[in-house]
Amino acid sequence: MIKSMTGFGRASEEINGYVISVEIKSVNHRYFEFNCRLPRQYGFAEEKLKSYINSRVSRGKVDCFLSVEALNTEAADVVVNNTLASAYVKALKELEANYDLKCDYGASSISRYPDVFVVKKADEDEELLWSYIKKVASDAVDKFIDMRTREGEKLKTDVRSRAFAILDNVAFVEIRSPETVKEYNEKLRERVHELIGDVSLDESRIIQEVAILADKVAVAEETVRLRSHIEQLLSFLESEEPIGRKMDFLVQEINREANTIGSKASDVEIARRVVDIKAEVEKIREQIQNIE
């Protein structure tokens, strides 16, 4: 099942006195990259979240946001950081003395400075709390993967249509290539007649020249490999495993065969079809950059 690397999922739930919210979003990335924002006191959950999400998501730049609100306020206490508060008061008095400023600060003013108040919470059971967080995270990841899957279906449809467009152009090249050799044979004979008139032609020489051209413009091997690559690409689209990186490599091989056919082409129509093939290959390459 094809999945996009772009996705979003959010879940929130109240569990045993905690309101827990988990939000996950991701964009394209060659590998799995994880960034998490969460309250400092719940930092223990970061690695656990990374490991859990990575067990279900293999590629993408994933941003995770965790919020935990404890509804039981009795389990928390706010105390004054007296050492820091004294330092702030001392610094304010120094400003007052040095710059002849009016003393207009009070307890409410001092309390606004960073870390004057310290929130102390009762020890929490981390494993129990992680079980709550994981439950909410699981719901968020389900929604996240569901969105990735829906986006993946759109990518799959687009890539399939472009793959079949390439096959149509390959079929034209396979039919047209032998015709170019026949046309060359006829034009060569006409040209020789123009130059030497009714004098009998050296058939062996004509056959040799045509054979040389046929060898130069032969693209049967390339079209066979191209068809094989497209067949493999289509099979990847039905895979249940992450195949974005494999498809990226395969598209390089498809492009290489198209370039070889283009370098051999001595016919305008074939050259145009090669341009069409390469255009479709480039569009496929752009799409698979977003496939997990």
Side-chain angles (χ1 to χ4, degrees):
M1 183 181 297
I2 293 294
K3 295 186 183 71
S4 167
M5 280 194 285
T6 302
F8 176 84
R10 188 179 189 280
S12 182
E13 187 175 348
E14 180 182 335
I15 307 175
N16 292 338
Y18 292 93
V19 177
I20 301 171
S21 296
V22 176
E23 181 177 300
I24 307 168
K25 61 181 181 179
S26 70
V27 294
N28 302 357
H29 198 273
R30 188 174 182 182
Y31 304 106
F32 178 81
E33 181 179 311
F34 183 81
N35 295 296
C36 187
R37 291 177 59 185
L38 71 173
R40 189 178 351 179
Q41 63 268 35
Y42 300 112
F44 70 88
E46 181 171 356
E47 280 301 315
K48 293 179 181 293
L49 277 168
K50 179 179 180 180
S51 178
Y52 174 68
I53 293 174
N54 194 20
S55 71
R56 301 185 62 186
V57 177
S58 63
R59 291 180 69 201
K61 184 179 183 298
V62 179
D63 290 313
C64 179
F65 304 89
L66 167 67
S67 70
V68 181
E69 180 185 354
L71 299 180
N72 182 10
T73 56
E74 294 178 359
D77 191 19
V78 179
V79 298
V80 178
N81 184 338
N82 288 296
T83 302
L84 192 58
S86 296
Y88 281 131
V89 171
K90 181 180 177 182
L92 288 169
K93 287 182 177 179
E94 185 177 339
L95 281 173
E96 180 184 1
N98 291 343
Y99 299 99
D100 192 26
L101 298 174
K102 181 180 179 181
C103 177
D104 59 354
Y105 54 87
S108 61
S109 298
I110 301 299
S111 68
R112 296 189 183 99
Y113 289 102
D115 300 322
V116 171
F117 287 149
V118 178
V119 179
K120 290 187 175 180
K121 292 190 174 183
D123 291 339
E124 295 174 306
D125 185 335
E126 291 185 358
E127 288 303 317
L128 180 62
L129 187 53
W130 164 243
S131 69
Y132 300 159
I133 293 171
K134 184 178 179 181
K135 182 177 185 299
V136 179
S138 178
D139 291 340
V141 173
D142 286 343
K143 295 174 182 176
F144 173 75
I145 292 177
D146 182 60
M147 180 175 177
R148 276 187 156 203
T149 302
R150 292 197 307 271
E151 292 295 319
E153 282 299 312
K154 296 177 183 177
L155 292 173
K156 175 181 176 179
T157 299
D158 186 72
V159 172
R160 278 180 61 87
S161 67
R162 297 189 186 284
F164 284 118
I166 291 174
L167 289 177
D168 288 342
N169 285 308
V170 170
F172 175 87
V173 171
E174 289 172 329
I175 295 172
R176 178 62 185 160
S177 184
E179 292 298 321
T180 63
V181 177
K182 293 179 182 178
E183 291 174 4
Y184 176 75
N185 181 27
E186 294 172 359
K187 290 179 180 178
L188 180 60
R189 290 176 180 276
E190 290 175 3
R191 182 60 175 162
V192 171
H193 273 300
E194 290 176 2
L195 293 174
I196 64 175
D198 295 331
V199 178
S200 61
L201 300 177
D202 184 347
E203 285 295 331
S204 63
R205 182 60 178 165
I206 293 291
I207 292 172
Q208 183 181 4
E209 288 295 327
V210 173
I212 292 172
L213 176 76
D215 184 60
K216 287 182 179 180
V217 301
V219 293
E221 292 182 8
E222 287 77 11
T223 57
V224 167
R225 285 195 294 268
L226 197 47
R227 283 186 175 277
S228 175
H229 293 332
I230 293 296
E231 182 179 343
Q232 191 173 6
L233 181 72
L234 292 171
S235 70
F236 280 163
L237 292 176
E238 305 302 327
S239 174
E240 295 295 325
E241 302 296 326
I243 41 74
R245 294 177 66 184
K246 291 181 180 180
M247 291 180 71
D248 190 39
F249 173 77
L250 191 58
V251 166
Q252 294 180 38
E253 295 301 306
I254 293 172
N255 193 58
R256 183 177 290 112
E257 299 299 341
N259 283 334
T260 303
I261 294 172
S263 67
K264 289 184 173 183
S266 61
D267 178 72
V268 173
E269 287 302 318
I270 291 179
R272 288 175 180 170
R273 294 302 180 115
V274 170
V275 170
D276 291 341
I277 291 173
K278 294 181 69 174
E280 295 296 342
V281 171
E282 188 58 34
K283 290 171 184 175
I284 290 175
R285 190 201 303 276
E286 292 174 1
Q287 291 289 49
I288 65 175
Q289 296 308 309
N290 197 37
I291 291 178
E292 184 180 16

